[in-house]
Amino acid sequence: MRKQLNITEGIFPMPVLMVATYNEDGSVNVMNAAWGTMQERGTVALNLTETHKTVQNIKARGAFTVSIADAAHVVEADYFGVTSGNKIPDKLGKAGLTASRAEKVDAPVINEFPLCLECQFIEYQSNDYGCGVIGKVINVTADERVMPDGKLDMSLVNAIAFDPYTHGYYRVAERVGEAFKDGLKLK
């Protein structure tokens, strides 16, 4: 038997994305965004309101990065979501993390997060069904520690996902199948 649940703001699992930009003074701003996805290959869509300092920075700089949060930094990732760049000017420093300049866009890469997409701002969309930042992925980088033999190993990324039903974070680490292959067994 199935039971009804309250309608919530998402689907599980939701990625925990760290969106980073530069402020007007060149300092780093980071926010936690669970409402984000790939719109199509090479295009990121982030459901963010214009009141976020991050969105203001994205529009001003024309660029941003999206890092995948990992289990080793769940406290810092959550901090970036419970504090506002409009009120706290140095969230990155307070969290004890560091950043480097992205290779291809005018945005910071948070060094401690293992996987990062460098994005060029395309447009901001706002309508009755949501609003958001659309960006073109220009470059993807990964820390060498998650690339044994020179290939990305997602189990080493140790990504976390947000559970909108109970407000928990979960580690996403174990590979359980082969996409575009396992289902062929039923053909």
Side-chain angles (χ1 to χ4, degrees):
M1 174 174 2
R2 301 181 65 81
K3 294 191 175 211
Q4 286 188 344
L5 300 174
N6 291 330
I7 294 173
T8 187
E9 65 273 2
I11 297 170
F12 179 78
M14 294 177 73
V16 180
L17 305 173
M18 300 293 104
V19 183
T21 61
Y22 286 119
N23 292 315
E24 304 85 16
D25 64 0
S27 62
V28 174
N29 180 65
V30 188
M31 77 171 290
N32 179 325
W35 296 350
T37 190
M38 297 302 293
Q39 185 179 35
E40 63 181 2
R41 185 177 299 276
T43 305
V44 171
L46 305 172
N47 191 356
L48 307 173
T49 62
E50 288 184 285
T51 58
H52 287 291
K53 178 69 173 157
T54 305
V55 173
Q56 296 165 22
N57 290 346
I58 289 170
K59 286 180 165 185
R61 293 278 185 156
F64 59 99
T65 60
V66 178
S67 294
I68 308 297
D70 63 344
H73 299 95
V74 68
V75 171
E76 295 88 345
D78 193 57
Y79 172 74
F80 294 140
V82 298
T83 57
S84 169
N86 288 314
K87 296 179 181 174
I88 310 246
D90 186 20
K91 290 168 44 172
L92 185 72
K94 180 128 172 108
L97 301 184
T98 61
S100 300
R101 194 166 273 291
E103 293 176 22
K104 307 281 185 182
V105 300
D106 184 21
V109 173
I110 309 308
N111 297 321
E112 291 77 9
F113 295 121
L115 187 61
C116 181
L117 288 69
E118 299 178 21
C119 302
Q120 175 185 2
F121 175 59
I122 295 175
E123 69 177 328
Y124 185 83
Q125 298 178 348
S126 180
N127 61 46
D128 292 341
Y129 298 103
C131 49
V133 170
I134 307 299
K136 178 180 171 124
V137 179
I138 303 298
N139 193 31
V140 180
T141 62
D143 190 294
E144 289 178 353
R145 66 189 151 98
V146 298
M147 297 185 65
D149 304 322
K151 294 182 181 179
L152 180 64
D153 182 339
M154 284 306 290
S155 68
L156 296 176
V157 170
N158 228 354
I160 57 174
F162 173 64
D163 163 16
Y165 295 94
T166 66
H167 294 171
Y169 292 112
Y170 291 83
R171 188 164 28 110
V172 181
E174 183 183 353
R175 187 179 188 118
V176 296
E178 300 298 320
F180 309 108
K181 185 177 180 183
D182 289 350
L184 297 176
K185 297 171 188 171
L186 300 178
K187 275 191 146 186

